[in-house]
Structures are given as structure tokens and as C-alpha cells.
Amino acid sequence: MKLWSGRFGKETDALVNDFNASIQFDQRLYKEDIAGSIAHATMLGDCGIISKEDVAAIVEGLNGILADIEAGKVEFTADNEDIHMNIESLLTARIGQAGKRLHTARSRNDQVAVDFRLYVRNEIPTIVDQILHLQSVLCAQAEKYQTAVMPGYTHLQRAQPISFAQHLMAYAAMLSRDVTRLLDCQKRMNECPLGSGALAGTTYPIDRWETAKALGFDAPMGNSLDGVSDRDYALEFLSALSVLMMHLSRFAEEVILWCSWEFKFIDLDDAYSTGSSIMPQKKNPDVAELVRGKTGRVYGDLMSLLTAMKGIPLAYNKDMQEDKEPVFDAIDTVEMCLPVFAAMIDTMTVRTDNMRKAAGHGFINATDCADYLTKKGMPFRDAYTTVGHLVAQCTQTGITLEELPLNELQTISPLFEADVYDALNLENCMALRGSYGGPAVAETTRQIKAVRNFVAAHTR
Ligand code: ARG
């Protein structure tokens, strides 16, 4: 019989029973549900709403249920609809009358709101740890390749010389924002909805500060309707995860390009690559491709919840039961992607020779050539045009700027002198880009140190 069967004259149709139930997925909230119930019962006792004996029986009963669930001894049932009613029924079966007092001054609406908030809040540190680990891997790789020249790209066209370290540290910088975005969301969500009741609070003399504190919240939520209707924290969380996955996906795309024969800037470790069932030569970057593919899932999770929420009048509506699966899916996806991605980056072999070779073609020192003339007194715009002509000339004969003999350079501009070849040397071009945030070694060293400090400051 349903906990809420009092006013009903008929059994629920079997189809509705299954359709309505959420126990298949919300059983993941069992720990949070029990923690919330213990805090609630304790507060009811402290406020004189139920007896201390009842509180003791409830707490003991709930702890017993927790142990049984963790030991795999509990079978949940769709007849009890969701995790909240499953646990309440188990409790009453176990301790009798006292179990029936637990739901005093509470509704499943504030109960699910607090459970889900606790769940999301608890996952954030795990994800943050995984991001920090990936950042450490990036720092360790970057440390090895601070002088490894590679072409930096815009429009996927070779643009200017950078180091492989500089490229990797760009991702480390993005990941720092992912960490602070998650921590920011965690901070903002840390208000407790418990005690909002069904929507309109309660006539019992409850102490919402007590339950808020017991569950590690900064304060109770200030409006009971908002308390039961708000899923902003889940949306912020999914948004932060979507941005994080977007970063991983861009990185994955580069890994895929880099290990193609067209680039061959890296080789993935055999343990992090896969083969083909027909083509014996193939070694495929499936891990990177799956990370890129799974990014779409996480975006979908965000869109599902945004769409579910957009037309819901205040306060609770059953639509909101649809909040859990997308959040669980996003958590599972992200928590699977981050460690495998970090391991893939950690174990890759970097082909600095191929990077350097690629850097040698494509005129990535053309800006430096124009800067050379500018430093000798030519206005930059004229220097730009002059070098443009030189590039056109080189393209026709198939040579590089530094292969032009000095007398030919001097027929274009008398400002060219023998030191131009130093200015065109790619190692010098990179080393001289010492502006704050640039690829010069002193700057990548500073960046690596900053990220290492960030990781240390956020490590638990
Ligand atoms: N299983 C429900 C959910 O996840 C719990 C809240 C149900 N409340 C209600 N009044 N039907 O949203």
C-alpha cells in the first residue's frame, strides 16, 4: 500500500506505477537521504516536536538501513516510488511507530531538494581533484618541452613560433577556470532547502539553522517556494561541466590531429590507443575521440535540464524528477573522461623533431622579419608589406625567408644586414617572445609555477 494512499479509492495502475517511479535512478541518493533524515529527526527532537526516544530509534534505524544498503542487503521497490519513500517504509518496518513520526514537518519536496543538493555538492571535490591531476600532468609534460619549437596556429595555418610547453599550458590555464567555476557553484549552492516543507514552510516550531548547520550548509534558503523549486545549482554545475568538456574536446581534437601522419607531433602510448579489425597498420586515438564525442552528451544533459525547467510554475512539479538522470550522466561521463585523458597525456611520446620540421615551413618567422625592419626604423606597416613581397617571392621558388641570400634581401631593403639571420632563427624568434604570458622559457617557467601553486592551493 502506498504511503500516500489515504484519499485514494483504487490501486495505482501498473503502468503508472512504473512510469511514476524514480527509484531505478534516485537510489543513488540513499546516503544523502539518510543524512538529511537524521538531521531532520535530531532537530525535531531538539525542538520538542518528537520525543528523544523516537529520535534515538529513528537514528539507529536509519544507520542500520544505511549499513544494509551498503552491504547490498536491501531491495528497493517501485511500489515505494522513490528513494525517500523506500527508506521511510524500511524504517517503519524496522522500528514501528517512531518511524511514522520522521516525516513530521517535512515534505518529499524539501527532502529531495536537500538530498540532490548534498549529492551535487559532494561530487564537486572529486571532479576538482581529477582536474588538478590533469593540470599536474600538463605541468610535468610542459617542463620537458619549454624549448621545443612548434608552429603556433591560427585558422589551422602556421602562424608564429611557440613552444610545446606554451601550447600545453594554455589548456592548464583553462582548467584553472574550470576548477574555480565549480568551486564558485559549490559556494553559491550551499544553502539548505530543508524546512521549506511542501512549499509553504510549516506550523511546527522547527529550527532551520540547526539542520542547515548539521548538513554543512552556510544557512537555510530564505524563501520556502524557492527552496523546493530551485535547481539553479544543478544547472550551474552542468554548465561548468559543459565548459570543462568543451575544453577537453578541443584538446582531444588537437591530440587526434597531432597523432595523424599529417602532423605526427605525438605518438600515443599503445595502452591508450586502439586498433582496427581490418587494417593491420592502424593505431587509432579512440580515447580522444570518445572524449570529444561524450562532450555532446554533457551538453545534452545541460539542455535536458534547462528545457525541463523552463516552463515549470512554482513550486514543485513532478517534471523536476527529470533533474537527476542528466546530472548523474554528466557526473559519470566527466569522472570517466578526466582520468583517462590525463593518463593519455601523461604517457604520450612527443616528436619534437617533427614539430621543429613543421615550424621550418610556413613562414612563421615572417612577423619577426617585419619586426626586424621596424626595429631598424621602417614603419611597421611598410615592413609588413615588404615581407609580404618576400614571402610571395619565396613561395614561387620554394624556399624559406632565411634561405634568401643577403644581397637579395638588400635589393628589397637596404635595412637588411647580416644579423637578419639571427632574427629569423626560429629558436630566437620564440625565445624573444618574452612578453608576459608569452612562449619564452622564462614565461613558460612562470606559468608552470603559477599552475603548480594553484594545484597545491586547491589540493585537499
Ligand atoms: N521522486 C520525487 C522527485 O525526484 C520526489 C519528490 C516528489 N514529490 C512529490 N510531491 N511528488 O522529484
Side-chain angles (χ1 to χ4, degrees):
M1 205 171 55
K2 299 267 184 258
L3 278 176
W4 41 253
S5 65
R7 61 101 70 211
F8 287 80
K10 260 188 184 177
E11 287 287 306
T12 315
D13 183 89
L15 276 176
V16 174
N17 209 44
D18 288 343
F19 185 65
N20 198 39
S22 53
I23 188 64
Q24 325 79 270
F25 51 84
D26 68 15
Q27 53 183 279
R28 270 173 78 147
L29 300 175
Y30 73 89
K31 242 189 265 167
E32 291 73 18
D33 195 73
I34 288 172
S37 289
I38 288 177
H40 180 68
T42 307
M43 179 277 293
L44 290 179
D46 291 343
C47 295
I49 299 166
I50 62 173
S51 74
K52 296 281 182 179
E53 295 74 51
D54 283 345
V55 176
I58 289 171
V59 172
E60 200 195 323
L62 287 171
N63 281 327
I65 292 170
L66 178 63
D68 283 356
I69 294 174
E70 308 222 294
K73 289 195 216 151
V74 171
E75 262 200 43
F76 297 116
T77 137
D79 286 338
N80 284 326
E81 199 175 318
D82 54 26
I83 188 64
H84 324 295
M85 293 201 295
N86 266 273
I87 288 178
E88 193 186 327
S89 304
L90 287 166
L91 181 68
T92 301
R94 198 175 275 234
I95 66 168
Q97 287 303 103
K100 297 192 201 161
R101 298 195 199 277
L102 169 62
H103 212 54
T104 313
R106 185 176 74 170
S107 157
R108 270 186 301 155
N109 299 348
D110 58 344
Q111 191 179 355
V112 71
V114 77
D115 291 5
F116 198 38
R117 220 171 249 262
L118 287 172
Y119 190 91
V120 172
R121 194 184 69 184
N122 290 344
E123 286 303 322
I124 290 176
T126 306
I127 296 173
V128 165
D129 286 350
Q130 292 183 331
I131 300 174
L132 296 176
H133 172 64
L134 175 55
Q135 288 186 294
S136 298
V137 166
L138 287 173
C139 288
Q141 287 286 25
E143 269 153 9
K144 293 187 269 175
Y145 301 109
Q146 289 184 267
T147 56
V149 174
M150 75 177 269
Y153 295 83
T154 63
H155 313 268
L156 205 53
Q157 301 288 320
R158 292 175 194 169
Q160 289 179 342
I162 58 169
S163 68
F164 190 53
Q166 170 78 345
H167 200 111
L168 294 180
M169 291 314 290
Y171 285 105
M174 300 176 212
L175 293 169
S176 290
R177 290 194 295 274
D178 292 319
V179 167
T180 51
R181 232 186 310 275
L182 283 165
L183 295 177
D184 184 47
C185 150
Q186 188 183 31
K187 203 166 3 148
R188 197 172 10 263
M189 68 176 282
N190 206 31
E191 290 190 343
C192 187
L194 193 61
S196 297
L199 74 163
T202 176
T203 56
Y204 294 96
I206 60 170
D207 182 352
R208 291 194 59 200
W209 272 265
E210 180 182 334
T211 41
K213 246 209 246 135
L215 295 168
F217 290 102
D218 298 327
M221 290 181 76
N223 179 294
S224 61
L225 262 74
D226 184 43
V228 291
S229 325
D230 172 41
R231 294 296 182 271
D232 290 1
Y233 59 94
L235 289 166
E236 280 189 40
F237 177 65
L238 288 174
S239 309
L241 295 187
S242 296
V243 176
L244 165 67
M245 287 302 292
M246 178 270 288
H247 291 154
L248 293 187
S249 185
R250 292 181 76 171
F251 201 171
E253 169 68 12
E254 298 210 285
V255 165
I256 294 160
L257 288 173
W258 290 342
C259 61
S260 72
W261 281 107
E262 283 66 19
F263 281 78
K264 258 305 164 231
F265 288 180
I266 60 167
D267 272 317
L268 293 181
D269 192 87
D270 279 359
Y272 293 92
S273 315
T274 46
S276 154
S277 60
I278 172 173
M279 296 169 280
Q281 85 284 13
K282 286 302 286 289
K283 178 170 161 182
N284 295 326
D286 285 24
V287 169
E289 288 168 39
L290 273 173
V291 167
R292 189 177 58 184
K294 284 176 189 291
T295 301
R297 272 181 96 105
V298 176
Y299 290 3
D301 293 327
L302 171 63
M303 284 316 297
S304 297
L305 186 54
L306 275 172
T307 311
M309 293 302 295
K310 76 184 261 290
I312 306 185
L314 297 182
Y316 178 86
N317 296 263
K318 190 77 170 200
D319 318 41
M320 290 164 75
Q321 183 165 284
E322 291 292 310
D323 59 359
K324 287 163 209 73
E325 286 163 294
V327 169
F328 294 155
D329 181 72
I331 289 169
D332 292 343
T333 305
V334 166
E335 290 184 1
M336 217 166 22
C337 288
L338 278 167
V340 71
F341 199 90
M344 176 183 73
I345 297 300
D346 193 30
T347 55
M348 70 185 176
T349 307
V350 181
R351 304 277 293 260
T352 53
D353 51 337
N354 286 336
M355 286 180 185
R356 181 62 182 79
K357 230 181 282 162
H361 298 278
F363 306 101
I364 66 174
N365 50 5
T367 313
D368 303 87
C369 190
D371 287 341
Y372 171 87
L373 291 173
T374 306
K375 284 171 191 163
K376 298 249 168 178
M378 192 185 282
F380 177 77
R381 198 42 74 202
D382 293 339
Y384 171 94
T385 309
T386 305
V387 177
H389 291 317
L390 285 175
V391 167
Q393 191 181 321
C394 288
T395 310
Q396 275 172 4
T397 48
I399 60 169
T400 66
L401 285 173
E402 56 273 38
E403 283 165 354
L404 283 169
L406 187 58
N407 60 346
E408 269 186 51
L409 288 169
Q410 285 171 338
T411 60
I412 301 270
S413 167
L415 292 175
F416 281 119
E417 293 176 83
D419 61 353
V420 66
Y421 297 104
D422 282 340
L424 293 178
N425 171 278
L426 291 179
E427 279 68 25
N428 292 341
C429 293
M430 196 200 77
L432 289 171
R433 294 176 180 277
S435 51
Y436 189 86
V441 171
E443 272 305 303
T444 46
T445 304
R446 182 194 56 74
Q447 294 176 48
I448 294 167
K449 212 165 126 205
V451 172
R452 288 237 185 252
N453 287 340
F454 177 89
V455 170
H458 290 89
T459 299
R460 290 192 269 174

